[in-house]
Amino acid sequence: MSGWDQGAVHYSYQSQLLDNEPGPATIQASRLKMKSFLREFEAAESQHSAAVSYRESLARTCHLGQYELNVDMGDLTSYDEKLAHRLRSDPETLMPQFEFAAREAAVANDLLPKAEQQQIQVTLKSSEHAVGIRDLSSHRIGHLVKLRGMVTSSSKVKSKATILELQCKNCAGRKKLHLKPGLTGAMIPRSCDRNSERVENAGDEPCPMDPYEILGDNSVFIDQQTLKLQEEPESVPTGEMPRTILVCVDRRLAGRFIPGMRVMLLGVHCTMQMAKTNASVSANAARQPYIRCVGMDQIADGSGRVAIEFTPEEEAEFQEFARSGNVYKKLQDSLAPQIFGHPDIKRSLVCLLFGGSRKLLPDGMKLRGDINVLLLGDPSTAKSQFLKFVEKVAPVSVYLSLIHISEPTRLLSISYAVFCLKKKKEYT
């Protein structure tokens, strides 16, 4: 009975699984269907969409060395509705199988060498209705969700291990540890796997506790980045502050999006362990939600950094406007025309929107061309309305308040405002 008392889970598969249970037969069948979908699905060009052939898209991405395949959930639904529903309800299990299917299809078509370990990242997009960040609840955990919002901050691109190579410091035995994607950590075994063999041989001394060390050169890493996604200002209810959620992007999606961009993403609603702020709260009970992104696109309409191309007619109109004279006054009157008066504030906000020019002094010092404006005034004097107008006009903007600012920065801002008021009283 050796080996049965090690705490492992043993089962017998009777091939009598329900359709919604992720058993071996269901996973293998889903993988074969995904492979058939990539090889067979084609859609003709229509008035609202271009022609689709995932076989050609797979060949193109392999020839270019990008190894990224974008799949529309609507195409998968039209091919196999049950498979698309299973992918929406259990993406943690089926997304790796989708990428394995893409690699198998590429190897079968001689697009990738069989011995090469290059993986193909499958990203998803969908035309379904987006869910609000404040509508994410516990019943959506583990499911695919579609969100729309604005990127407010981004971290540096870091290396995330997908396969760790471990070596025992005592017996030099090695093992590979496969890690889940997302913001999950690595659970390194505290005992050597060969200890069970040494128990049978009474003469061998077992390895001590915590014997493994990580061999970084033999491990496999991918790029990973965390973003903070905030609700769009126009979708925030009156009187409430915008909510944010953490988004994890990896591989080809890392480093592609910067703060100020408005994006539409499809991701898995996951949870991670929270930092223990209270000793009475169990670490396993408190979980922080985040989104593991499986597809993200920039929104072309509205504000956000987009590639704007002007037509020759528009360029001619700009040149005529520049020659018309009194441009400064016209721009001032065009800023927030629904607000009467405040000409000085409007002129300063026009300068804020256009910005200045960078200067390089003879001694090598660089002066930034950014123009900052501090608005101080009594309540109900249109300060917030000016802010909302600038947020809509500026190509890259993030709507913040003092609640989103740290306490030292908030106190410094208030102290600077008091200093400006005192100086203004001295001059008057």
Side-chain angles (χ1 to χ4, degrees):
M1 300 297 292
S2 174
W4 286 89
D5 298 327
Q6 300 179 10
V9 178
H10 302 274
Y11 65 95
S12 63
Y13 170 58
Q14 305 294 337
S15 68
Q16 298 292 333
L17 298 172
L18 297 177
D19 190 35
N20 57 353
E21 292 185 358
T26 306
I27 295 176
Q28 183 66 19
S30 300
R31 183 171 173 178
L32 293 176
K33 288 182 180 179
M34 291 173 177
K35 184 178 178 181
S36 301
F37 165 74
L38 296 176
R39 298 178 62 180
E40 299 173 1
F41 184 84
E42 291 184 359
E45 183 179 0
S46 62
Q47 184 178 0
H48 303 285
S49 61
V52 178
S53 176
Y54 291 106
R55 183 174 62 253
E56 297 179 0
S57 300
L58 186 61
R60 188 184 308 110
T61 188
C62 291
H63 289 322
L64 296 177
Q66 297 177 351
Y67 305 110
E68 179 185 358
L69 182 64
N70 189 257
V71 178
D72 194 339
M73 288 296 296
D75 297 337
L76 185 61
T77 302
S78 61
Y79 182 81
D80 192 328
E81 188 174 355
K82 291 184 178 180
L83 179 61
H85 175 72
R86 194 177 296 119
L87 180 61
R88 287 189 178 93
S89 59
D90 191 13
E92 291 284 353
T93 303
L94 294 187
M95 278 304 296
Q97 300 300 323
F98 212 159
E99 296 188 351
F100 289 150
R103 170 174 168 75
E104 290 178 355
V107 171
N109 294 333
D110 297 329
L111 300 175
L112 284 177
K114 189 174 183 180
E116 188 177 350
Q117 299 299 322
Q118 176 66 48
Q119 297 293 330
I120 298 177
Q121 183 180 9
V122 176
T123 58
L124 303 178
K125 63 180 180 179
S126 176
S127 57
E128 61 189 18
H129 181 68
V131 180
I133 294 179
R134 60 183 63 240
D135 296 330
L136 291 176
S137 54
S138 58
H139 75 277
R140 299 183 185 273
I141 294 178
H143 292 70
L144 274 181
V145 293
K146 184 179 180 181
L147 299 177
R148 175 179 176 138
M150 178 189 301
V151 179
T152 58
S153 65
S154 61
S155 67
K156 294 182 179 179
V157 178
K158 302 178 182 180
S159 297
K160 157 78 174 181
T162 57
I163 301 177
L164 283 180
E165 182 86 13
L166 306 178
Q167 182 178 10
C168 179
K169 294 179 287 188
N170 184 51
C171 64
R174 295 189 179 187
K175 69 174 297 184
K176 289 186 177 182
L177 186 64
H178 293 264
L179 306 181
K180 293 183 178 180
L183 301 178
T184 57
M187 299 295 295
I188 300 178
R190 302 201 61 188
S191 61
C192 182
D193 292 347
R194 295 187 178 181
N195 284 347
S196 59
E197 301 176 2
R198 293 186 175 89
V199 171
E200 299 178 358
N201 301 328
D204 296 339
E205 183 179 355
C207 297
M209 293 291 291
D210 300 324
Y212 285 112
E213 61 179 356
I214 300 175
L215 302 179
D217 295 339
N218 298 334
S219 303
V220 180
F221 296 89
I222 60 173
D223 293 334
Q224 188 181 76
Q225 185 185 26
T226 55
L227 309 174
K228 187 176 289 187
L229 190 71
Q230 178 183 283
E231 289 179 303
E232 294 178 304
E234 56 268 17
S235 62
V236 179
T238 305
E240 297 190 15
M241 298 305 303
R243 298 187 183 181
T244 59
I245 191 169
L246 200 64
V247 179
C248 173
V249 295
D250 56 17
R251 292 178 284 181
R252 293 284 174 178
L253 297 177
R256 188 180 295 182
F257 304 93
I258 62 175
M261 285 185 174
R262 298 200 180 199
V263 297
M264 187 83 71
L265 69 88
L266 200 65
V268 185
H269 190 200
C270 307
T271 59
M272 63 178 177
Q273 183 173 331
M274 294 180 59
K276 293 182 65 177
T277 56
N278 189 354
S280 62
V281 179
S282 174
N284 294 328
R287 309 289 292 182
Q288 179 181 354
Y290 74 97
I291 301 296
R292 185 173 68 84
C293 180
V294 295
M296 184 184 297
D297 295 312
Q298 184 179 355
I299 301 176
D301 57 339
S303 60
R305 187 182 296 273
V306 294
I308 301 177
E309 296 182 359
F310 298 107
T311 62
E313 293 78 10
E314 291 176 335
E315 293 180 359
E317 186 177 353
F318 294 153
Q319 294 175 0
E320 182 180 356
F321 177 75
R323 293 190 297 264
S324 61
N326 204 10
V327 175
Y328 196 14
K329 181 67 168 57
K330 293 179 180 179
L331 292 175
Q332 167 197 324
D333 297 337
S334 300
L335 193 141
Q338 71 276 14
I339 301 176
F340 178 77
H342 303 292
D344 296 335
I345 295 178
K346 292 184 177 182
R347 280 195 294 268
S348 62
L349 292 180
V350 168
C351 296
L352 168 70
L353 288 172
F354 280 87
S357 58
R358 298 183 61 184
K359 293 186 174 76
L360 181 62
L361 302 183
D363 57 353
M365 181 182 295
K366 296 180 180 179
L367 299 180
R368 294 180 298 177
D370 300 334
I371 297 178
N372 301 313
V373 175
L374 175 64
L375 290 182
L376 299 174
D378 296 329
S380 300
T381 53
K383 298 186 300 297
S384 299
Q385 297 300 321
F386 280 123
L387 176 62
K388 291 182 179 180
F389 183 86
V390 171
E391 187 272 331
K392 291 181 180 180
V393 174
V396 179
S397 59
V398 178
Y399 188 85
L400 292 177
S401 68
L402 286 177
I403 296 179
H404 296 84
I405 304 175
S406 61
E407 187 68 21
T409 307
R410 191 185 315 169
L411 294 177
L412 181 61
S413 302
I414 297 175
S415 302
Y416 181 71
V418 174
F419 172 77
C420 293
L421 288 176
K422 290 181 178 180
K423 287 294 183 182
K424 184 178 180 180
K425 290 182 179 179
E426 292 177 2
Y427 286 120
T428 56

PDB file of all heavy atoms in Angstrom, residues 282-304:
ATOM      1  N   SER A 282      -9.241  36.292   8.185  1.00  0.00           N
ATOM      2  CA  SER A 282      -8.449  35.214   7.591  1.00  0.00           C
ATOM      3  C   SER A 282      -7.987  35.611   6.205  1.00  0.00           C
ATOM      4  O   SER A 282      -8.704  36.235   5.435  1.00  0.00           O
ATOM      5  CB  SER A 282      -9.292  33.928   7.518  1.00  0.00           C
ATOM      6  OG  SER A 282      -8.591  32.922   6.819  1.00  0.00           O
ATOM      7  N   ALA A 283      -6.756  35.210   5.851  1.00  0.00           N
ATOM      8  CA  ALA A 283      -6.215  35.558   4.539  1.00  0.00           C
ATOM      9  C   ALA A 283      -6.942  34.843   3.425  1.00  0.00           C
ATOM     10  O   ALA A 283      -7.025  35.327   2.304  1.00  0.00           O
ATOM     11  CB  ALA A 283      -4.722  35.233   4.501  1.00  0.00           C
ATOM     12  N   ASN A 284      -7.466  33.659   3.695  1.00  0.00           N
ATOM     13  CA  ASN A 284      -8.168  32.904   2.662  1.00  0.00           C
ATOM     14  C   ASN A 284      -9.571  33.429   2.424  1.00  0.00           C
ATOM     15  O   ASN A 284     -10.162  33.171   1.382  1.00  0.00           O
ATOM     16  CB  ASN A 284      -8.232  31.424   3.055  1.00  0.00           C
ATOM     17  CG  ASN A 284      -6.858  30.785   3.081  1.00  0.00           C
ATOM     18  OD1 ASN A 284      -5.984  31.168   2.314  1.00  0.00           O
ATOM     19  ND2 ASN A 284      -6.663  29.837   3.987  1.00  0.00           N
ATOM     20  N   ALA A 285     -10.142  34.141   3.383  1.00  0.00           N
ATOM     21  CA  ALA A 285     -11.511  34.627   3.237  1.00  0.00           C
ATOM     22  C   ALA A 285     -11.563  35.948   2.475  1.00  0.00           C
ATOM     23  O   ALA A 285     -12.543  36.224   1.785  1.00  0.00           O
ATOM     24  CB  ALA A 285     -12.166  34.791   4.604  1.00  0.00           C
ATOM     25  N   ALA A 286     -10.538  36.773   2.611  1.00  0.00           N
ATOM     26  CA  ALA A 286     -10.523  38.075   1.951  1.00  0.00           C
ATOM     27  C   ALA A 286      -9.832  37.939   0.604  1.00  0.00           C
ATOM     28  O   ALA A 286      -8.646  37.619   0.542  1.00  0.00           O
ATOM     29  CB  ALA A 286      -9.801  39.101   2.822  1.00  0.00           C
ATOM     30  N   ARG A 287     -10.559  38.170  -0.465  1.00  0.00           N
ATOM     31  CA  ARG A 287     -10.023  38.058  -1.818  1.00  0.00           C
ATOM     32  C   ARG A 287     -10.274  39.364  -2.558  1.00  0.00           C
ATOM     33  O   ARG A 287     -11.335  39.969  -2.449  1.00  0.00           O
ATOM     34  CB  ARG A 287     -10.680  36.907  -2.583  1.00  0.00           C
ATOM     35  CG  ARG A 287     -10.685  35.582  -1.854  1.00  0.00           C
ATOM     36  CD  ARG A 287      -9.315  34.975  -1.773  1.00  0.00           C
ATOM     37  NE  ARG A 287      -8.824  34.563  -3.078  1.00  0.00           N
ATOM     38  CZ  ARG A 287      -7.662  33.959  -3.270  1.00  0.00           C
ATOM     39  NH1 ARG A 287      -6.871  33.699  -2.243  1.00  0.00           N
ATOM     40  NH2 ARG A 287      -7.278  33.605  -4.478  1.00  0.00           N
ATOM     41  N   GLN A 288      -9.270  39.793  -3.318  1.00  0.00           N
ATOM     42  CA  GLN A 288      -9.383  41.025  -4.098  1.00  0.00           C
ATOM     43  C   GLN A 288      -9.645  40.682  -5.560  1.00  0.00           C
ATOM     44  O   GLN A 288      -8.903  39.887  -6.151  1.00  0.00           O
ATOM     45  CB  GLN A 288      -8.097  41.840  -3.991  1.00  0.00           C
ATOM     46  CG  GLN A 288      -8.127  43.134  -4.800  1.00  0.00           C
ATOM     47  CD  GLN A 288      -6.838  43.908  -4.685  1.00  0.00           C
ATOM     48  OE1 GLN A 288      -5.960  43.534  -3.916  1.00  0.00           O
ATOM     49  NE2 GLN A 288      -6.728  44.986  -5.442  1.00  0.00           N
ATOM     50  N   PRO A 289     -10.688  41.248  -6.173  1.00  0.00           N
ATOM     51  CA  PRO A 289     -10.978  40.928  -7.578  1.00  0.00           C
ATOM     52  C   PRO A 289     -10.046  41.666  -8.530  1.00  0.00           C
ATOM     53  O   PRO A 289      -9.579  42.775  -8.242  1.00  0.00           O
ATOM     54  CB  PRO A 289     -12.426  41.385  -7.747  1.00  0.00           C
ATOM     55  CG  PRO A 289     -12.591  42.485  -6.753  1.00  0.00           C
ATOM     56  CD  PRO A 289     -11.720  42.129  -5.579  1.00  0.00           C
ATOM     57  N   TYR A 290      -9.785  41.052  -9.656  1.00  0.00           N
ATOM     58  CA  TYR A 290      -9.033  41.679 -10.740  1.00  0.00           C
ATOM     59  C   TYR A 290      -9.445  41.006 -12.042  1.00  0.00           C
ATOM     60  O   TYR A 290     -10.140  39.977 -12.045  1.00  0.00           O
ATOM     61  CB  TYR A 290      -7.516  41.582 -10.511  1.00  0.00           C
ATOM     62  CG  TYR A 290      -6.924  40.215 -10.741  1.00  0.00           C
ATOM     63  CD1 TYR A 290      -6.312  39.893 -11.957  1.00  0.00           C
ATOM     64  CD2 TYR A 290      -6.948  39.244  -9.758  1.00  0.00           C
ATOM     65  CE1 TYR A 290      -5.767  38.648 -12.176  1.00  0.00           C
ATOM     66  CE2 TYR A 290      -6.406  37.993  -9.960  1.00  0.00           C
ATOM     67  CZ  TYR A 290      -5.815  37.694 -11.173  1.00  0.00           C
ATOM     68  OH  TYR A 290      -5.279  36.454 -11.390  1.00  0.00           O
ATOM     69  N   ILE A 291      -9.015  41.574 -13.157  1.00  0.00           N
ATOM     70  CA  ILE A 291      -9.365  41.062 -14.478  1.00  0.00           C
ATOM     71  C   ILE A 291      -8.091  40.559 -15.162  1.00  0.00           C
ATOM     72  O   ILE A 291      -7.117  41.310 -15.270  1.00  0.00           O
ATOM     73  CB  ILE A 291     -10.037  42.147 -15.345  1.00  0.00           C
ATOM     74  CG1 ILE A 291     -11.307  42.670 -14.677  1.00  0.00           C
ATOM     75  CG2 ILE A 291     -10.364  41.597 -16.730  1.00  0.00           C
ATOM     76  CD1 ILE A 291     -12.394  41.635 -14.511  1.00  0.00           C
ATOM     77  N   ARG A 292      -8.109  39.304 -15.581  1.00  0.00           N
ATOM     78  CA  ARG A 292      -7.009  38.778 -16.401  1.00  0.00           C
ATOM     79  C   ARG A 292      -7.420  38.930 -17.859  1.00  0.00           C
ATOM     80  O   ARG A 292      -8.297  38.235 -18.350  1.00  0.00           O
ATOM     81  CB  ARG A 292      -6.718  37.318 -16.059  1.00  0.00           C
ATOM     82  CG  ARG A 292      -5.498  36.776 -16.806  1.00  0.00           C
ATOM     83  CD  ARG A 292      -5.131  35.396 -16.328  1.00  0.00           C
ATOM     84  NE  ARG A 292      -6.141  34.416 -16.708  1.00  0.00           N
ATOM     85  CZ  ARG A 292      -6.193  33.814 -17.892  1.00  0.00           C
ATOM     86  NH1 ARG A 292      -5.315  34.124 -18.824  1.00  0.00           N
ATOM     87  NH2 ARG A 292      -7.120  32.912 -18.143  1.00  0.00           N
ATOM     88  N   CYS A 293      -6.801  39.867 -18.537  1.00  0.00           N
ATOM     89  CA  CYS A 293      -7.222  40.270 -19.870  1.00  0.00           C
ATOM     90  C   CYS A 293      -6.872  39.194 -20.893  1.00  0.00           C
ATOM     91  O   CYS A 293      -5.756  38.663 -20.914  1.00  0.00           O
ATOM     92  CB  CYS A 293      -6.559  41.588 -20.236  1.00  0.00           C
ATOM     93  SG  CYS A 293      -6.993  42.199 -21.870  1.00  0.00           S
ATOM     94  N   VAL A 294      -7.842  38.871 -21.761  1.00  0.00           N
ATOM     95  CA  VAL A 294      -7.619  37.946 -22.874  1.00  0.00           C
ATOM     96  C   VAL A 294      -7.858  38.640 -24.215  1.00  0.00           C
ATOM     97  O   VAL A 294      -7.851  37.986 -25.256  1.00  0.00           O
ATOM     98  CB  VAL A 294      -8.521  36.701 -22.754  1.00  0.00           C
ATOM     99  CG1 VAL A 294      -8.160  35.887 -21.522  1.00  0.00           C
ATOM    100  CG2 VAL A 294      -9.997  37.085 -22.723  1.00  0.00           C
ATOM    101  N   GLY A 295      -8.041  39.938 -24.187  1.00  0.00           N
ATOM    102  CA  GLY A 295      -8.230  40.706 -25.419  1.00  0.00           C
ATOM    103  C   GLY A 295      -8.581  42.136 -25.093  1.00  0.00           C
ATOM    104  O   GLY A 295      -9.448  42.393 -24.250  1.00  0.00           O
ATOM    105  N   MET A 296      -7.891  43.088 -25.748  1.00  0.00           N
ATOM    106  CA  MET A 296      -8.137  44.498 -25.467  1.00  0.00           C
ATOM    107  C   MET A 296      -7.904  45.305 -26.741  1.00  0.00           C
ATOM    108  O   MET A 296      -6.923  45.078 -27.460  1.00  0.00           O
ATOM    109  CB  MET A 296      -7.213  45.000 -24.349  1.00  0.00           C
ATOM    110  CG  MET A 296      -7.470  46.444 -23.932  1.00  0.00           C
ATOM    111  SD  MET A 296      -6.303  47.059 -22.680  1.00  0.00           S
ATOM    112  CE  MET A 296      -6.663  45.986 -21.320  1.00  0.00           C
ATOM    113  N   ASP A 297      -8.808  46.227 -26.998  1.00  0.00           N
ATOM    114  CA  ASP A 297      -8.711  47.115 -28.156  1.00  0.00           C
ATOM    115  C   ASP A 297      -8.954  48.543 -27.710  1.00  0.00           C
ATOM    116  O   ASP A 297      -9.737  48.798 -26.782  1.00  0.00           O
ATOM    117  CB  ASP A 297      -9.719  46.736 -29.246  1.00  0.00           C
ATOM    118  CG  ASP A 297      -9.442  45.369 -29.849  1.00  0.00           C
ATOM    119  OD1 ASP A 297      -8.281  45.117 -30.203  1.00  0.00           O
ATOM    120  OD2 ASP A 297     -10.384  44.556 -29.948  1.00  0.00           O
ATOM    121  N   GLN A 298      -8.303  49.462 -28.402  1.00  0.00           N
ATOM    122  CA  GLN A 298      -8.497  50.872 -28.108  1.00  0.00           C
ATOM    123  C   GLN A 298      -9.756  51.381 -28.792  1.00  0.00           C
ATOM    124  O   GLN A 298     -10.056  51.020 -29.931  1.00  0.00           O
ATOM    125  CB  GLN A 298      -7.286  51.678 -28.570  1.00  0.00           C
ATOM    126  CG  GLN A 298      -7.356  53.149 -28.207  1.00  0.00           C
ATOM    127  CD  GLN A 298      -6.122  53.905 -28.654  1.00  0.00           C
ATOM    128  OE1 GLN A 298      -5.191  53.292 -29.159  1.00  0.00           O
ATOM    129  NE2 GLN A 298      -6.112  55.203 -28.481  1.00  0.00           N
ATOM    130  N   ILE A 299     -10.494  52.211 -28.064  1.00  0.00           N
ATOM    131  CA  ILE A 299     -11.720  52.783 -28.595  1.00  0.00           C
ATOM    132  C   ILE A 299     -11.350  53.984 -29.451  1.00  0.00           C
ATOM    133  O   ILE A 299     -10.654  54.901 -28.997  1.00  0.00           O
ATOM    134  CB  ILE A 299     -12.675  53.191 -27.467  1.00  0.00           C
ATOM    135  CG1 ILE A 299     -13.025  51.960 -26.615  1.00  0.00           C
ATOM    136  CG2 ILE A 299     -13.930  53.818 -28.024  1.00  0.00           C
ATOM    137  CD1 ILE A 299     -13.893  52.289 -25.414  1.00  0.00           C
ATOM    138  N   ALA A 300     -11.815  53.979 -30.697  1.00  0.00           N
ATOM    139  CA  ALA A 300     -11.460  55.055 -31.616  1.00  0.00           C
ATOM    140  C   ALA A 300     -12.313  56.292 -31.405  1.00  0.00           C
ATOM    141  O   ALA A 300     -11.865  57.412 -31.658  1.00  0.00           O
ATOM    142  CB  ALA A 300     -11.592  54.579 -33.063  1.00  0.00           C
ATOM    143  N   ASP A 301     -13.560  56.130 -30.934  1.00  0.00           N
ATOM    144  CA  ASP A 301     -14.417  57.285 -30.746  1.00  0.00           C
ATOM    145  C   ASP A 301     -14.220  57.856 -29.353  1.00  0.00           C
ATOM    146  O   ASP A 301     -13.825  57.171 -28.430  1.00  0.00           O
ATOM    147  CB  ASP A 301     -15.885  56.920 -30.958  1.00  0.00           C
ATOM    148  CG  ASP A 301     -16.328  55.795 -30.037  1.00  0.00           C
ATOM    149  OD1 ASP A 301     -15.442  55.060 -29.560  1.00  0.00           O
ATOM    150  OD2 ASP A 301     -17.535  55.667 -29.803  1.00  0.00           O
ATOM    151  N   GLY A 302     -14.510  59.133 -29.188  1.00  0.00           N
ATOM    152  CA  GLY A 302     -14.352  59.788 -27.905  1.00  0.00           C
ATOM    153  C   GLY A 302     -12.905  60.169 -27.662  1.00  0.00           C
ATOM    154  O   GLY A 302     -12.051  60.126 -28.546  1.00  0.00           O
ATOM    155  N   SER A 303     -12.604  60.553 -26.411  1.00  0.00           N
ATOM    156  CA  SER A 303     -11.248  60.939 -26.087  1.00  0.00           C
ATOM    157  C   SER A 303     -10.388  59.714 -25.924  1.00  0.00           C
ATOM    158  O   SER A 303     -10.862  58.614 -25.740  1.00  0.00           O
ATOM    159  CB  SER A 303     -11.234  61.779 -24.800  1.00  0.00           C
ATOM    160  OG  SER A 303     -11.762  61.023 -23.729  1.00  0.00           O
ATOM    161  N   GLY A 304      -9.099  59.915 -25.952  1.00  0.00           N
ATOM    162  CA  GLY A 304      -8.140  58.821 -25.910  1.00  0.00           C
ATOM    163  C   GLY A 304      -7.115  59.015 -26.994  1.00  0.00           C
ATOM    164  O   GLY A 304      -7.353  59.707 -27.981  1.00  0.00           O
TER     165      GLY A 304
END
